[in-house]
Amino acid sequence: MKPIYEPKARAKEYGDLAINIYTGCPHNCFYCFAPSVLHRSREDFSGHVEPRKDIVRAVKRQLESEHITGKLIHLCFTCDPYPLGYDSFSTREIIKAIKAAGNHVQILTKNGTDAIHDFDLLDREDWFGVTYAGYPNLTDGISPAEPGAGTPFWRLQALKGAHAAKINTWVSCEPVLSASDVLLLIEKGNYIDKFKIGKMNYHPSNIDWKAFGEAAEAACKKYGRNYYIKEDLRKEMENHA
């Protein structure tokens, strides 16, 4: 097994290399693409979550054998590096191995509460990020769109903690569920070093993507945010010009 791979298609927008640590994810996000990509039922994907067999050893072996160094490695695409309710020891060991080989990590999670325990491994060249889709209908802080994930509040708190610790912070606004919430985060998010902004794919939405994309870009420029408009949203903005 060679767990370190080069992302393709849309995933390429996130980084040069990536690792998927776990076999599934308990977060049950309704928009998740991973079960279909992996040809698994949503029930099986959310109900069978464990580190891939020998994943830590395989990562160390590949880092050494392929002399992988000086790279930014994304964690993760088809799973969360911090699955809520599960031990993330494997994630911590993989971060250690990546760093020891002279690389850096780009983390994307929906579980800020557990992720903060690994901040001691990160430095100014690493990136810690969370998914923020905009959440207008929270129940006890939990979004029905992501019922098994960590709360949006604690994700943003983790970003603030990472920023205070001099770790690069970023947010993936994709999918977008609430345009107004995302625009407000752009306005208020002084602790976020980069915004990656997309849209909703594969599911219906009543959001005017052209208007949202233009508003998001204008807000990023107004508040001096470092930002990237993802290709799918950029096409909507240009196709309807």
Side-chain angles (χ1 to χ4, degrees), residues 100-113:
N103 300 285
H104 296 283
V105 294
Q106 177 177 268
I107 292 167
L108 180 61
T109 185
K110 295 189 183 84
N111 179 13
T113 306

Side-chain angles (χ1 to χ4, degrees), residues 21-22 75 81-83 88-96 118:
I21 300 172
Y22 296 90
L75 308 177
Y82 298 96
S88 58
F89 174 80
S90 294
T91 297
R92 183 172 179 85
E93 291 302 300
I94 285 171
I95 293 173
K96 288 180 181 178
D118 288 343

Side-chain angles (χ1 to χ4, degrees), residues 31 37 61 69 71 74 90 119 143-144 184 197 201 204 212 219 225:
Y31 53 78
V37 169
R61 185 185 306 119
T69 191
K71 300 292 186 181
H74 182 84
S90 294
F119 283 1
S143 169
L184 183 61
I197 306 166
N201 294 311
F212 166 70
R225 307 304 186 213

Side-chain angles (χ1 to χ4, degrees), residues 28-202:
N28 273 306
C29 305
F30 85 86
Y31 53 78
C32 183
F33 64 89
S36 61
V37 169
L38 299 173
H39 306 290
R40 295 171 60 188
S41 70
R42 299 186 70 85
E43 293 76 13
D44 179 60
F45 181 73
S46 63
H48 293 83
V49 182
E50 60 185 6
R52 294 165 63 193
K53 186 176 180 180
D54 294 327
I55 183 70
V56 174
R57 186 181 305 173
V59 166
K60 291 179 178 179
R61 185 185 306 119
Q62 189 178 359
L63 286 167
E64 182 177 359
S65 65
E66 297 183 13
H67 307 289
I68 299 173
T69 191
K71 300 292 186 181
L72 185 66
I73 301 178
H74 182 84
L75 308 177
C76 304
F77 281 117
T78 63
C79 63
D80 194 298
Y82 298 96
L84 188 64
Y86 290 81
D87 189 341
S88 58
F89 174 80
S90 294
T91 297
R92 183 172 179 85
E93 291 302 300
I94 285 171
I95 293 173
K96 288 180 181 178
I98 289 171
K99 299 285 290 178
N103 300 285
H104 296 283
V105 294
Q106 177 177 268
I107 292 167
L108 180 61
T109 185
K110 295 189 183 84
N111 179 13
T113 306
D114 289 339
I116 62 174
H117 298 303
D118 288 343
F119 283 1
D120 62 305
L121 302 179
L122 308 182
D123 60 40
R124 293 174 181 268
E125 300 301 320
D126 297 301
W127 287 81
F128 173 74
V130 304
T131 298
Y132 187 86
Y135 303 97
N137 300 309
L138 298 178
T139 302
D140 295 328
I142 298 171
S143 169
E146 304 164 349
T151 67
F153 173 80
W154 283 110
R155 292 179 219 172
L156 298 184
Q157 290 300 109
L159 280 179
K160 292 176 182 178
H163 180 74
K166 309 300 182 184
I167 300 164
N168 292 309
T169 58
W170 70 291
V171 64
S172 175
C173 298
E174 186 185 49
V176 172
L177 304 176
S178 169
S180 60
D181 283 1
V182 170
L183 294 175
L184 183 61
L185 183 65
I186 294 171
E187 176 185 350
K188 302 295 185 180
N190 294 327
Y191 51 92
I192 300 170
D193 295 311
K194 189 165 187 176
F195 290 80
K196 290 194 176 184
I197 306 166
K199 57 185 287 289
M200 171 68 80
N201 294 311
Y202 310 121

Side-chain angles (χ1 to χ4, degrees), residues 189-232:
N190 294 327
Y191 51 92
I192 300 170
D193 295 311
K194 189 165 187 176
F195 290 80
K196 290 194 176 184
I197 306 166
K199 57 185 287 289
M200 171 68 80
N201 294 311
Y202 310 121
H203 294 277
S205 172
N206 60 6
I207 294 175
D208 181 332
W209 295 118
K210 177 181 184 298
F212 166 70
E214 290 175 347
E217 188 162 48
C220 286
K221 291 178 179 179
K222 177 180 179 179
Y223 297 107
R225 307 304 186 213
N226 182 11
Y227 73 97
Y228 174 76
I229 302 293
K230 295 203 69 184
E231 183 178 346
D232 287 330

